[in-house]
Coordinates of all heavy atoms in Angstrom, one line a residue:
Q71 N 7.4 -16.4 6.4 CA 7.9 -15.9 5.0 C 6.6 -15.5 4.2 O 6.0 -16.3 3.6 CB 8.6 -17.0 4.3 CG 10.1 -17.0 4.4 CD 10.7 -18.1 3.4 OE1 10.3 -19.3 3.6 NE2 11.5 -17.7 2.5
I73 N 4.9 -12.0 2.1 CA 5.0 -10.6 1.6 C 3.8 -10.2 0.8 O 3.1 -11.1 0.3 CB 6.3 -10.3 0.7 CG1 6.3 -11.2 -0.5 CG2 7.6 -10.6 1.6 CD1 7.3 -10.9 -1.5
R97 N 8.3 -4.0 -8.9 CA 9.7 -3.9 -8.6 C 9.8 -4.1 -7.0 O 10.7 -4.8 -6.5 CB 10.2 -2.6 -9.0 CG 11.7 -2.4 -9.0 CD 12.1 -1.0 -9.6 NE 11.4 0.1 -8.9 CZ 11.8 0.7 -7.8 NH1 12.9 0.2 -7.2 NH2 11.1 1.7 -7.3
R98 N 9.0 -3.4 -6.3 CA 9.1 -3.4 -4.8 C 8.8 -4.8 -4.3 O 9.4 -5.3 -3.3 CB 8.1 -2.4 -4.2 CG 8.3 -2.1 -2.7 CD 7.5 -1.0 -2.2 NE 6.1 -1.2 -2.2 CZ 5.2 -0.3 -1.9 NH1 5.5 0.9 -1.7 NH2 3.9 -0.7 -1.9
F99 N 7.8 -5.5 -4.9 CA 7.5 -6.8 -4.5 C 8.7 -7.8 -4.5 O 9.0 -8.5 -3.6 CB 6.3 -7.4 -5.4 CG 5.7 -8.7 -4.9 CD1 4.8 -8.7 -3.8 CD2 6.1 -9.9 -5.5 CE1 4.2 -9.8 -3.4 CE2 5.5 -11.1 -5.0 CZ 4.6 -11.0 -4.0
N100 N 9.4 -7.6 -5.6 CA 10.6 -8.5 -5.8 C 11.8 -8.1 -4.9 O 12.6 -9.0 -4.6 CB 10.9 -8.7 -7.3 CG 10.0 -9.7 -8.0 OD1 9.4 -10.5 -7.3 ND2 9.8 -9.5 -9.3
I101 N 11.8 -6.8 -4.5 CA 12.8 -6.4 -3.5 C 12.4 -7.1 -2.2 O 13.3 -7.6 -1.5 CB 12.8 -4.9 -3.4 CG1 13.5 -4.3 -4.7 CG2 13.6 -4.4 -2.2 CD1 13.4 -2.8 -4.8
S102 N 11.2 -7.0 -1.8 CA 10.7 -7.7 -0.6 C 11.0 -9.2 -0.7 O 11.5 -9.8 0.3 CB 9.2 -7.5 -0.4 OG 8.8 -6.2 -0.3
A103 N 10.7 -9.8 -1.8 CA 11.0 -11.3 -2.0 C 12.4 -11.6 -1.8 O 12.7 -12.5 -1.1 CB 10.5 -11.7 -3.4
D104 N 13.3 -10.8 -2.3 CA 14.7 -11.1 -2.2 C 15.2 -11.0 -0.7 O 15.9 -11.8 -0.3 CB 15.5 -10.0 -3.0 CG 17.0 -10.2 -2.9 OD1 17.5 -11.2 -3.4 OD2 17.7 -9.4 -2.3
R105 N 14.6 -10.0 0.0 CA 15.0 -9.8 1.4 C 14.5 -11.0 2.3 O 15.2 -11.4 3.2 CB 14.5 -8.5 1.9 CG 14.7 -8.2 3.4 CD 16.3 -8.1 3.7 NE 16.5 -7.8 5.1 CZ 16.7 -8.7 6.0 NH1 16.5 -10.0 5.7 NH2 16.9 -8.4 7.3
M106 N 13.4 -11.6 1.8 CA 12.8 -12.7 2.6 C 13.2 -14.1 2.1 O 12.5 -15.1 2.4 CB 11.3 -12.5 2.7 CG 10.8 -11.2 3.2 SD 11.4 -10.7 4.8 CE 10.4 -11.8 5.8
M107 N 14.2 -14.1 1.2 CA 14.7 -15.4 0.6 C 13.5 -16.1 -0.2 O 13.4 -17.3 -0.1 CB 15.2 -16.3 1.7 CG 16.6 -15.8 2.3 SD 17.9 -15.8 1.1 CE 18.2 -17.5 0.8
M108 N 12.7 -15.3 -0.9 CA 11.7 -15.9 -1.7 C 12.0 -15.7 -3.2 O 12.7 -14.8 -3.5 CB 10.3 -15.2 -1.3 CG 10.0 -15.4 0.2 SD 8.6 -14.3 0.7 CE 7.2 -15.4 0.5
P109 N 11.4 -16.5 -4.0 CA 11.7 -16.4 -5.5 C 11.1 -15.1 -6.1 O 10.0 -14.7 -5.6 CB 11.1 -17.6 -6.1 CG 10.0 -18.0 -5.2 CD 10.4 -17.6 -3.8
A110 N 11.7 -14.5 -7.1 CA 11.1 -13.4 -7.8 C 9.9 -13.9 -8.6 O 9.9 -15.0 -9.1 CB 12.1 -12.7 -8.7
M145 N 2.5 -13.3 -1.5 CA 3.2 -14.6 -1.7 C 3.5 -15.1 -0.3 O 3.9 -14.4 0.6 CB 4.4 -14.4 -2.5 CG 5.3 -15.6 -2.6 SD 6.6 -15.6 -3.8 CE 7.5 -14.1 -3.6
F195 N 12.2 -1.8 4.9 CA 12.0 -1.5 3.5 C 11.1 -2.5 2.7 O 10.7 -2.3 1.6 CB 13.3 -1.3 2.7 CG 14.1 -2.5 2.6 CD1 13.9 -3.4 1.5 CD2 15.0 -2.9 3.6 CE1 14.7 -4.5 1.4 CE2 15.8 -4.0 3.5 CZ 15.6 -4.9 2.4
A196 N 10.9 -3.7 3.4 CA 10.2 -4.7 2.7 C 8.7 -4.7 3.1 O 8.4 -4.3 4.3 CB 10.8 -6.1 3.1

Side-chain angles (χ1 to χ4, degrees):
Q71 263 186 303
I73 60 170
R97 190 176 56 82
R98 190 171 71 187
F99 190 78
N100 281 337
I101 289 172
S102 301
D104 179 67
R105 178 64 179 84
M106 305 304 284
M107 290 295 289
M108 302 167 94
M145 171 164 52
F195 65 89

